[in-house]
Amino acid sequence: MTTPTQPADLEAIRQALEATVMVDQVRIARPTGSPVLDLATGLVGPTPTSTVWEGRGAVLSAHGLAAVEHLVGGRWLEDTASWYGLVTPLSAPTLQRGDLVTVTAAASPTAGSAGRTWQALDPGEASTVAVARVTRLDEIVAP
C-alpha cells in the first residue's frame, strides 16, 4: 500500500459519486404508528409511514459498494456485515434505525431494484470527513 503524497480531493470524489453512482430515485419513509388489524380479513395492515426524503441515491450490494471504491480511486468504506448499503448525497437526512428505503425508479432497466424496499439496520453513518451518506440496509421480503 502506498501513502498519498497529496490530500484527496473530497469535493471531486463527492461529485463523482453523485454523478456516476447515485443515479436511481429513492424514497426514505419513517414509520409513524402501529399497523392496524383489518377485522374483516384478520390480517395486519401496513405500518403507517411519512416520507422523510426523496431524491437521487443508490442501493448497492456489498459487491457494488466495493466496486464504487475503485471507481472513485480510493477506499472510503469499511467492510460491511450487511449485504446492502444505501448511498445518498450529504444533503439527504441521516437515517434512523427502522427507516424504510424504496427505489422508486432505477436508472438501468436491468437493475432489478425498482419497487424493492429495505429497512435501515442502524442509524446512518456519521463522520468528520464524508463524501456521501452511507446506511446499512436489510431487504424486506414478503412472506
Side-chain angles (χ1 to χ4, degrees):
M1 185 163 110
T2 60
T3 303
T5 56
Q6 54 190 13
D9 183 348
L10 297 179
E11 181 60 18
I13 293 170
R14 183 193 62 74
Q15 289 176 6
L17 283 170
E18 289 183 13
T20 61
V21 176
M22 297 180 223
V23 295
D24 294 338
Q25 290 296 312
V26 299
R27 177 186 310 115
I28 300 169
R30 186 159 294 146
T32 58
S34 300
V36 177
L37 176 65
D38 182 336
L39 296 175
T41 64
L43 300 174
V44 176
T47 301
T49 62
S50 65
T51 299
V52 175
W53 184 81
E54 288 189 72
R56 290 172 51 113
V59 173
L60 302 172
S61 69
H63 294 114
L65 290 167
V68 168
E69 290 178 3
H70 297 291
L71 286 173
V72 298
R75 184 163 181 76
W76 58 280
L77 288 171
E78 295 302 319
D79 291 333
T80 175
S82 62
W83 190 248
Y84 292 98
L86 171 67
V87 181
T88 53
L90 293 174
S91 60
T94 302
L95 273 70
Q96 296 178 6
R97 181 177 289 129
D99 281 355
L100 302 173
V101 175
T102 302
V103 175
T104 58
S108 169
T110 60
S113 56
R116 290 167 73 175
T117 300
W118 292 261
Q119 182 177 31
L121 292 174
D122 293 308
E125 294 179 359
S127 178
T128 299
V129 178
V131 293
R133 298 213 185 281
V134 179
T135 306
R136 307 299 177 206
L137 303 175
D138 188 29
E139 186 167 10
I140 297 173
V141 181

